[in-house]
Structures are given as C-alpha cells and as structure tokens.
Amino acid sequence: MQIFLDTTDVAALKTLAATGLVDGVTTNPSLIAKSGRPMLEVIAEICAVVEGPVSAEVSAMDVEGMLAEGRKLAAIAPNVVVKVPMTKEGLIAVRLFAEEGIQTNVTLCFTAAQALLAAKAGAGYVSPFIGRLDDIGEDGMQLIHDIRAVFDNYAFDTEILAASVRTAEHVQAAAIAGADCATIPPAVFEALFRHPLTEKGLQQFMLDWATAGQTIL
Ligand code: G3P
C-alpha cells in the first residue's frame, strides 16, 4: 500500500520524505487555508519534494470552473493530481480531464456506489473518508472493503485512496482491506513507527549491550 501524507506543512513533509517511505501527498481546501499561504506556491513546493502524486483540489462547483482550475493546477508539475468533489459536475469534469490526460482524485466519497460512479467516470483515485464515517457512528473501514469488492468485480483500475485516516490502526486496517493508498497526517505517520514493546525491548537490548562492554566497530 502506498502511503501519502495529508498535509500542506512543507517542513514536516521534507523531514518525513527523507525516510523514503512517502509515496505522495494530498491536500484539501481546509489544509491550504491552514497553511496561510497561496495555494499555487504551496503545491509547487510540495511537488518539488515528492516525485509521487500530489493532489490539489479545485474550488469551483461548476464543470467549466473545475476544468479551468484543474488545468491551471495540472500545469504546476507533472505529478499534480486534480482533486474534484464527488458531485455530478465533478464526475463530468473527471471524464473530460481523463480525455486530456489529466489525473484525478474524486474526494468526499462515502458509499461504494459513489466510488463506482467515480471509477466509471475514469478517476485515477477515489477517496473514501474513513474517519468521518466513524464520526457519525458508521464503520468507515467497511467502505474500503466494499469498494475493493466492487472494483475487483469489474476490474476497475481506479485506486482506492483511504482518506480521513486518523490512527495507525486505521492504516493497518486499510492495508488489510486492500486499499491501494492511505493518506495520513504527519502525526499518524510518526505513530506508525512506534510500539511500546519496540521501545521497551530496545531499551533492554541497549542496557544488556552496555553491560557486555562489547563494540562492533
Ligand atoms: O484530505 C481529506 C481527508 O483526509 C480529511 O481528513 O480528518 O479532516 O476528516 P479529516
């Protein structure tokens, strides 16, 4: 499973990308607003840090507006993926973008039926929002399983990009469910490395090593 960072924090991105484990980046209008910086500038900087797909979301709600904004975003760098909302207009734009060779990510997907439509429209990625379904008492992860089944039934190559991922457990469950990618905040990425027994075990190994008084080099 590919791991994307869901962030507009370029400093955090640079630090975490140095692990070699960051496959791409996603952004959304809320994250752009949080950065307090001009969107085109932030996206260009992110694209210079990661070679993989970088999702940049349109703000227009009409097809013409989405096309104009999407073309401008796609012109920033070859790895820009234009993110469009899961609406009728959004999916019309997705089809037209596909004809132009512009990659798309359909966001705010909450049902397998919506994902099916996005795939039929030619989306490169579809983003089911796990955490926000959990927030309303539904089982967000079940949606990943359902979309996986639908896409496999019909051999769609649209990638399932698990979004609204809040915990390391979400990441693990998304991988088990067969998501192609998960986009995660930097803090969740950091959490993926950790386990109390790893820390405890390492502490003991270091103590024992110091007691043994040996060196390797
Ligand atoms: O980028 C979309 C998604 O990951 C947002 O997550 O936590 O705001 O529901 P969240």
Side-chain angles (χ1 to χ4, degrees), residues 6 26-28 31 83 107 129 131-132 135 163-166 183 185:
D6 198 24
T26 56
T27 65
N28 62 38
L31 290 169
K83 207 169 171 187
T107 189
F129 275 37
R132 293 192 193 185
D135 288 345
S164 189
V165 168
R166 310 266 177 79
T183 188

Side-chain angles (χ1 to χ4, degrees), residues 39-112:
M39 177 177 185
L40 301 186
E41 192 181 294
V42 179
I43 298 296
E45 266 185 41
I46 293 172
C47 289
V49 178
V50 288
E51 283 176 20
V54 174
S55 288
E57 189 161 343
V58 297
S59 64
M61 303 295 258
D62 62 305
V63 177
E64 280 313 310
M66 287 184 200
L67 290 175
E69 289 182 356
R71 288 178 189 131
K72 187 164 179 176
L73 293 169
I76 295 174
N79 53 334
V80 167
V81 173
V82 177
K83 207 169 171 187
V84 302
M86 177 57 231
T87 60
K88 205 183 296 169
E89 292 73 17
L91 295 194
I92 292 170
V94 163
R95 182 166 295 287
L96 296 170
F97 281 133
E99 286 170 9
E100 293 181 24
I102 292 176
Q103 277 272 61
T104 52
N105 172 3
V106 174
T107 189
L108 291 165
C109 174
F110 292 95
T111 68

